[in-house]
Every structure is written in C-alpha cells, then in structure tokens.
Amino acid sequence: EPSEEQRGAEPEVLEELAQLNEKYERRFGFAFVVFVNGRTRAELLPVLRERLGRTREEELETGLRALCAIARDRWTRTT
C-alpha cells in the first residue's frame, strides 16, 4: 500500500518530477534519493531543482546520507 506522499499529485507536478528525475539521472548517473519524511511530491520539486546544481561528489554524499536516513526510519518503525 503506497504511503500518503506516494499517492496522487497534480498532473503538472508528476510531469515535472518525471522530467527532473530524468535530468538528474543523466547528469549524475544514478537515481535521485531523498528522505521524503511526509513531504508531498510538490514539496520535493524545489529539493530536486536545488540538488541538480550540485557536484556529483556532493550528490553521492547526500544520496548516501538519505539512504541511511530512510533505512534508520524503516528500522525504527519495525522494532
């Protein structure tokens, strides 16, 4: 079952997210990773836009930190 932030969004938001995700993957060579933490898809747009301006090294570090935060959150919800 999708979480609240994974359900629904305005078509324009979904389209922009798809375009920005594609641009991100072309630029950095890996998928955009962010700890959503209850934010809507629309709230993620400025995050993704800002992160497109970073270096690959900065994004690797940010992505790894996000993965750790996601894993930590999931772990604490299951224990």
Side-chain angles (χ1 to χ4, degrees):
E1 182 70 24
S3 65
E4 185 64 34
E5 63 269 4
Q6 291 173 324
R7 281 184 239 141
E10 297 295 319
E12 306 82 36
V13 171
L14 295 176
E15 178 62 30
E16 186 173 358
L17 275 175
Q19 290 173 359
L20 291 174
N21 268 302
E22 184 178 321
K23 184 176 181 180
Y24 184 96
E25 287 191 35
R26 277 194 319 268
R27 175 166 165 66
F28 296 114
F30 50 87
F32 174 67
V33 179
V34 67
F35 183 30
V36 174
N37 197 20
R39 292 179 281 185
T40 66
R41 290 177 179 181
E43 291 172 309
L44 297 178
L45 285 172
V47 175
L48 185 45
R49 285 187 209 113
E50 185 269 328
R51 287 181 50 186
L52 276 163
R54 294 183 179 183
T55 66
R56 188 170 196 279
E57 292 75 24
E58 289 171 321
E59 273 308 290
L60 282 170
E61 183 175 336
T62 300
L64 288 172
R65 288 176 189 265
L67 284 171
C68 290
I70 293 164
R72 187 178 311 111
D73 181 66
R74 289 181 180 172
W75 175 262
T76 57
R77 282 199 257 161
T78 61
T79 58

